[in-house]
Amino acid sequence: MTYVNGMVAAVPAVGKQKYVEHARMAAEAFREHGALSVVECWEVDVPDGKVTSFPMAVQKKDDEVIVFSWITWPSKAVADAGMEKIMSDPRMSEENNPMPFDGKRMIHGGFDVVFEA
């Protein structure tokens, strides 16, 4: 069964190119370590909420935008093995590919796909 890692983060609006470069390098590594696909999305229409919302969840600041991304894997076992390899991949080190956003405010999780149309 397909497995998905999802992520939402707030990124400085002026840092779109830097984020895309970071994401491209990461996507290449994820694909080499077993991911089927990597999708990165840049905010276009993400409203503020009154009770909850993407901006509230990541404590978005006025000069930031929301990014929404996901990685699909053949299974959770492949994802777990791939993520372990990613942690030791030199391309993913802070020196070679620093996160262009505050990772402490990122939310992420893993999900089994129950339906796809």
Side-chain angles (χ1 to χ4, degrees), residues 8 42 57-58 97 105 114:
V8 177
W42 190 263
V58 296
N97 194 12
R105 292 185 288 133
V114 297

Side-chain angles (χ1 to χ4, degrees), residues 2 9-13 23 30 33 39-40 43-44 46-47 49 51 67 70 73 78-79 84 92-93 99 104 112 114:
T2 305
V11 176
F30 281 116
H33 295 303
V39 177
E40 295 285 346
E43 174 182 339
V44 172
V46 181
V51 177
V67 295
W70 63 93
W73 305 87
V78 173
E84 189 174 316
M92 299 303 292
S93 72
M99 255 197 266
K104 291 180 230 143
D112 280 332
V114 297

Side-chain angles (χ1 to χ4, degrees), residues 27-102:
E28 182 179 305
F30 281 116
R31 295 288 309 261
E32 287 178 20
H33 295 303
L36 299 172
S37 66
V38 178
V39 177
E40 295 285 346
C41 304
W42 190 263
E43 174 182 339
V44 172
D45 183 18
V46 181
D48 289 325
K50 291 189 185 339
V51 177
T52 189
S53 65
F54 283 133
M56 292 170 74
V58 296
Q59 300 171 3
K60 178 185 169 217
K61 297 175 183 170
D62 290 340
D63 63 343
E64 295 177 324
V65 298
I66 299 297
V67 295
F68 177 55
S69 61
W70 63 93
I71 305 166
T72 56
W73 305 87
S75 66
K76 183 176 186 317
V78 173
D80 289 346
M83 291 303 263
E84 189 174 316
K85 291 175 187 169
I86 285 291
M87 293 303 135
S88 61
D89 190 311
R91 292 172 292 184
M92 299 303 292
S93 72
E94 187 64 26
E95 299 81 37
N96 294 328
N97 194 12
M99 255 197 266
F101 58 92
D102 182 358

